[in-house]
């Protein structure tokens, strides 16, 4: 049986420079989440997988909760980038909103651990300001797109939630395998299903 010590081989530790260790720890944490869920995640286990001392993660994350918040923030940053890129080619408000919905579901399928954590109660809502801004940017992107296709006078947050529910619900159904695998057996079938969902009835001017 191998004993894990607090002092890793120098050849492993020395490969990490400023900034790299944080990314490596985030990647390791996502792997642990996929295998064991939030309850199985610990800074010690992430350190073991990366090959650094048990104390090393604390240079970047004060606690498990801080690590979870950082993963969620990374997810929101990626979601915002994906949504912005998907909407960029379009000027028509409806087309922009549809593009956001497509990118939202595809993001969830590509990054299921991030996606689940971003919206779970197990992730602290008291994230640092910089990390909270990532979620705010992603939300405002959706809110502004939804408001652009809503009638005058609609509460912006109501418009956002009314549209958000559609791609989010589909994403969760897909992640939880509530939709028969045969229905999304091909990329074309999945795209058709996403389009059918995000093109559902909506307010238009």
């Amino acid at each position: 049986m191998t004993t894990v010590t607090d002092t890793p081989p120098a050849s492993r530790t020395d490969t990490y420079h400023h900034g790299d260790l944080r990314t490596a720890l985030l990647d390791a944490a996502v792997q642990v989440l996929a295998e064991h869920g939030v309850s199985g995640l610990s800074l010690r286990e992430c350190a073991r997988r990366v090959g650094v001392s048990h104390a090393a993660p604390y240079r970047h994350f004060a606690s498990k909760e801080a690590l979870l918040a950082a993963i969620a923030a990374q997810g929101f940053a990626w979601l915002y980038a994906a949504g912005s890129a998907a909407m960029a080619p379009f000027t028509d408000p409806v087309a922009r909103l549809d593009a956001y919905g497509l990118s939202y579901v595809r993001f969830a399928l590509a990054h299921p651990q991030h996606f689940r954590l971003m919206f779970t109660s197990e992730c602290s809502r008291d994230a640092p300001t910089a990390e909270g801004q990532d979620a705010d940017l992603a939300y405002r992107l959706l809110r502004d797109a939804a408001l652009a296709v809503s009638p005058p006078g609609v509460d912006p947050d109501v418009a956002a939630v009314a549209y958000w529910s559609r791609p989010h619900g589909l994403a969760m159904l897909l992640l939880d395998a509530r939709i028969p695998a045969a229905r999304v057996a091909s990329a074309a079938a999945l795209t058709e299903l996403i389009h059918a969902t995000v093109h559902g009835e909506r307010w238009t001017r």
Side-chain angles (χ1 to χ4, degrees):
M1 179 176 178
T2 301
T3 301
V4 178
T5 65
D6 287 342
T7 304
S11 59
R12 294 292 300 279
T13 306
D14 293 345
T15 60
Y16 292 105
H17 303 289
H18 180 69
D20 294 338
L21 176 57
R22 186 179 191 277
T23 299
L25 290 168
L26 288 173
D27 291 344
V30 171
Q31 292 176 356
V32 176
L33 288 174
E35 296 168 13
H36 305 293
V38 173
S39 63
L41 179 66
S42 68
L43 290 170
R44 177 179 288 262
E45 174 59 17
C46 291
R48 186 190 69 79
R49 294 194 179 207
V50 172
V52 295
S53 72
H54 296 157
Y58 291 94
R59 302 172 194 166
H60 300 281
F61 307 107
S63 62
K64 172 180 173 177
E65 289 69 30
L67 175 59
L68 290 172
I71 296 170
Q74 185 181 55
F76 279 117
W78 289 350
L79 176 61
Y80 173 72
S84 297
M87 295 164 67
F90 304 101
T91 56
D92 176 71
V94 172
R96 285 174 58 79
L97 191 57
D98 287 341
Y100 182 91
L102 286 164
S103 69
Y104 189 95
V105 178
R106 287 172 177 156
F107 168 82
L109 296 178
H111 305 284
Q113 307 311 321
H114 284 81
F115 188 79
R116 289 185 185 279
L117 188 60
M118 288 156 62
F119 302 107
T120 183
S121 60
E122 293 177 294
C123 187
S124 173
R125 300 306 182 199
D126 300 321
T129 302
E131 293 171 352
Q133 288 175 351
D134 292 310
D136 187 56
L137 285 172
Y139 176 74
R140 280 191 286 150
L141 183 67
L142 165 65
R143 185 190 62 193
D144 293 347
L147 191 60
V149 300
S150 303
V154 171
D155 185 302
D157 293 319
V158 171
V161 172
Y163 182 78
W164 183 13
S165 301
R166 221 176 257 138
H168 187 83
L170 176 59
M172 292 305 300
L173 287 170
L174 289 168
L175 291 179
D176 289 338
R178 297 298 182 181
I179 295 175
R183 185 65 186 82
V184 291
S186 68
L190 175 60
T191 299
E192 179 185 9
L193 180 61
I194 295 173
H195 270 294
T197 302
V198 302
H199 275 274
E201 182 181 357
R202 65 167 67 84
W203 290 316
T204 55
R205 286 181 175 176

